[in-house]
Amino acid sequence: MTRKEMLLGFISDKNYKPMKASEIAIILNIPKNEKQELKKLLDELENEGSIIRNSKNRFQCATGENFIKGTFYANAKGFGFVIDDDGEKLFVPPVDTFGALNGDFVLAKLTKRISDADKCSEAKIIKVISHTIENIVGTFVKSKNFGFVVPDDRAFTSDIYISKKHCADVKNGQKVVAKITKWPSENENPEGTIAEILGFPHDDGVDIKSLIRQYSLNEE
């Protein structure tokens, strides 16, 4: 058993109470020169979605029937669904998406269990574990001091902010491929750069090229 597995086992124990990293170090008799490694292991477990850190900076387990890991599928109206590997489907209201994007792999917490087979239980996303989409096809809109890309995919509900220095060569209304450089938070849109200028929508071949880029198809 690795040290990370042992640490997860400790936090998963039914008698464990949420603790700070310093408190865990004391309980487990971690020497001072190994505390940095402890923090590294805690970060790894948190990034994997195995544990979460609460508002008081205390760690707790993120496994069990109230937690689910799965893929988030966004709807243009703001809500979405999380579906896990077993096919369980949870509804996520607009206020509980945590800035997750369509296709993200997330950790969600059950908020309302619904027994009706025709309705989904509800959950809120508490962590985005990994992003699957990096390049977005959309229409570039230019303003005085910055620009943004409006995605063609309606399930991608956030416009992508493009700083002035990254949009000097692109013209208002052109189809582009935006590369995300900063993922969104609950209150901020994603940021990106222009990876490719496809042309104006009415230009020959731009519609086909947009579909090829959007769905990562073989160009031939």
Side-chain angles (χ1 to χ4, degrees):
M1 183 178 291
T2 65
R3 298 190 76 172
K4 186 162 77 170
E5 289 171 338
M6 291 176 65
L7 180 59
L8 180 59
F10 169 73
I11 296 174
S12 301
D13 189 277
K14 63 180 181 179
N15 295 316
Y16 171 85
K17 303 295 182 184
M19 299 179 190
K20 295 181 179 180
S22 57
E23 295 169 329
I24 293 174
I26 292 172
I27 296 296
L28 297 181
N29 294 316
I30 304 292
K32 187 176 181 180
N33 63 343
E34 294 182 12
K35 287 185 178 179
Q36 206 57 39
E37 183 185 359
L38 172 64
K39 290 182 179 179
K40 179 184 175 184
L41 293 176
L42 288 169
D43 286 342
E44 288 180 7
L45 289 170
E46 186 179 12
N47 290 335
E48 293 167 4
S50 298
I51 63 174
I52 56 174
R53 193 189 311 235
N54 65 24
S55 58
K56 295 182 179 180
N57 210 31
R58 299 176 187 274
F59 294 95
Q60 62 187 82
C61 186
T63 58
E65 62 180 15
N66 289 330
F67 292 94
I68 182 172
K69 289 181 184 178
T71 302
F72 176 66
Y73 295 93
N75 185 282
K77 294 182 179 179
F79 62 85
F81 297 90
V82 174
I83 302 177
D84 69 4
D85 290 340
D86 296 326
E88 183 176 5
K89 185 177 182 180
L90 299 177
F91 173 76
V92 182
V95 295
D96 291 325
T97 60
F98 197 69
L101 304 175
N102 189 53
D104 284 352
F105 188 65
V106 302
L107 173 67
K109 185 176 182 180
L110 187 72
T111 56
K112 184 188 291 186
R113 176 68 73 182
I114 297 176
S115 57
D116 188 336
D118 295 326
K119 296 182 179 180
C120 295
S121 296
E122 294 186 12
K124 67 176 181 178
I125 294 173
I126 56 178
K127 184 175 182 59
V128 176
I129 298 173
S130 63
H131 301 282
T132 57
I133 298 174
E134 189 175 273
N135 294 318
I136 302 296
V137 176
T139 302
F140 179 75
V141 179
K142 198 167 192 172
S143 68
K144 185 176 179 180
N145 297 313
F146 62 92
F148 56 92
V149 174
V150 180
D152 286 354
D153 184 356
R154 294 182 63 196
F156 197 97
T157 55
S158 297
D159 296 340
I160 303 158
Y161 170 84
I162 310 292
S163 67
K164 189 174 182 179
K165 67 179 180 179
H166 289 133
C167 58
D169 298 327
V170 60
K171 297 177 181 178
N172 190 55
Q174 285 185 318
K175 288 287 187 182
V176 299
V177 178
K179 179 180 176 64
I180 297 176
T181 56
K182 182 180 178 182
W183 299 102
S185 65
E186 287 185 270
N187 303 313
E188 295 182 342
N189 279 20
E191 297 180 15
T193 59
I194 303 300
E196 185 179 2
I197 300 172
L198 302 177
F200 287 102
H202 56 265
D203 291 343
D204 288 343
V206 169
D207 52 350
I208 298 298
K209 196 179 291 185
S210 297
L211 289 171
I212 288 172
R213 297 295 186 272
Q214 183 173 340
Y215 295 104
S216 301
L217 302 176
N218 184 298
E219 192 147 356
E220 290 183 11

